[in-house]
């Protein structure tokens, strides 16, 4: 129980050096039902977060859980991850931008290269290391008209981010 509490606290603390390992460890405990009742959906959420954070073994854990949760749960997990990443960015954790970009090409059933391009472009504009190549990879999958529109969108999001506006609120679907 203490380990679950500790890993939960560390997992939710953006820009914590051990955040992604803690997310993986929390996913393992939740999958096994140790320290908390077994919860595959919650384990999947934390495994995917750890995977986006660069923990390679998290992908294998998520793949093991994949058939144990419903399609609706998968959809809810993806939406929760997207909102969590946007909120972390809103809180100043710009190092999460590449994770949000990767989310659109790794976790969505239909890869969204357009959104990945936008988020990788923001990462490059904010001088995050090693993102230019990833942006270029997305650019190769888009046509000129798409790029023109996406660059406008990226500029709008960049200005909003610098102005301290909430990206999560800006991108929330209209009710």
């Amino acid at each position: 129980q203490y380990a679950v509490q500790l890993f939960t606290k560390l997992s939710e603390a953006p820009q914590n050096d051990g955040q992604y390992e803690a997310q993986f460890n929390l996913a393992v405990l939740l999958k096994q039902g140790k320290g908390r009742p077994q919860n595959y959906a919650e384990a999947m959420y934390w495994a995917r977060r750890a995977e986006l954070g660069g923990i390679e073994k998290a992908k294998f854990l998520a793949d093991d859980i994949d058939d144990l949760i419903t399609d609706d749960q998968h959809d809810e997990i993806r939406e929760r991850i997207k909102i969590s990443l946007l909120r972390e960015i809103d809180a100043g954790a710009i190092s999460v931008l590449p994770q949000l970009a990767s989310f659109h090409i790794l976790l969505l059933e239909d890869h969204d290269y357009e959104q990945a391009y936008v988020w990788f472009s923001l990462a490059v504009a904010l001088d995050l290391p090693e993102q230019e190549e990833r942006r270029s990879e997305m650019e190769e999958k888009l046509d000129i008209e798409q790029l023109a529109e996406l660059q406008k969108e990226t500029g709008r999001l960049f200005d909003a981010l610098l102005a301290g506006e909430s990206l999560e609120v800006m991108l929330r679907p209209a009710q």
Side-chain angles (χ1 to χ4, degrees), residues 71 74-75 78 107-111:
D71 290 341
H74 278 289
D75 292 341
R78 283 189 286 268
L107 300 188
L108 297 182
E109 289 181 24
D110 295 322
H111 303 307

Side-chain angles (χ1 to χ4, degrees), residues 12-62:
E12 294 171 344
Q15 298 180 321
N16 166 14
D17 287 340
Q19 177 184 17
Y20 307 118
E21 280 292 338
Q23 290 171 346
F24 174 75
N25 291 330
L26 181 56
V28 169
L29 292 174
L30 292 168
K31 180 184 182 258
Q32 295 174 349
K34 295 187 176 181
R36 297 239 358 121
Q38 194 171 43
N39 187 328
Y40 293 137
E42 195 67 11
M44 176 64 88
Y45 170 80
W46 290 112
R48 291 296 189 203
R49 288 295 312 267
E51 178 184 353
L52 290 172
I55 306 298
E56 290 182 32
K57 58 191 172 187
K59 180 182 179 352
F60 299 110
L61 177 62

Side-chain angles (χ1 to χ4, degrees), residues 19-150:
Q19 177 184 17
Y20 307 118
E21 280 292 338
Q23 290 171 346
F24 174 75
N25 291 330
L26 181 56
V28 169
L29 292 174
L30 292 168
K31 180 184 182 258
Q32 295 174 349
K34 295 187 176 181
R36 297 239 358 121
Q38 194 171 43
N39 187 328
Y40 293 137
E42 195 67 11
M44 176 64 88
Y45 170 80
W46 290 112
R48 291 296 189 203
R49 288 295 312 267
E51 178 184 353
L52 290 172
I55 306 298
E56 290 182 32
K57 58 191 172 187
K59 180 182 179 352
F60 299 110
L61 177 62
D63 289 347
D64 284 346
I65 301 168
D66 194 56
D67 291 335
L68 301 173
I69 61 175
T70 67
D71 290 341
D72 287 345
Q73 287 175 309
H74 278 289
D75 292 341
E76 291 169 9
I77 291 164
R78 283 189 286 268
E79 185 63 20
R80 184 174 163 206
I81 290 170
K82 181 180 174 185
I83 289 169
S84 295
L85 292 171
L86 285 167
R87 287 181 178 163
E88 287 179 31
I89 293 165
D90 285 348
I94 63 166
S95 62
V96 175
L97 284 166
Q99 290 179 42
L100 186 55
S102 295
F103 164 85
H104 287 90
I105 52 177
L106 296 177
L107 300 188
L108 297 182
E109 289 181 24
D110 295 322
H111 303 307
D112 189 340
Y113 298 113
E114 292 179 356
Q115 283 300 302
Y117 172 82
V118 167
W119 298 109
F120 282 133
S121 292
L122 281 172
V124 171
L126 293 167
D127 204 28
L128 293 181
E130 302 174 18
Q131 300 308 308
E132 287 182 56
E133 183 177 331
R134 297 178 83 187
R135 179 190 61 191
S136 295
E137 290 170 6
M138 297 305 104
E139 187 174 318
E140 291 173 9
K141 298 181 181 300
L142 305 168
D143 61 41
I144 295 168
E145 289 80 18
Q146 288 173 302
L147 285 172
E149 287 303 313
L150 294 172

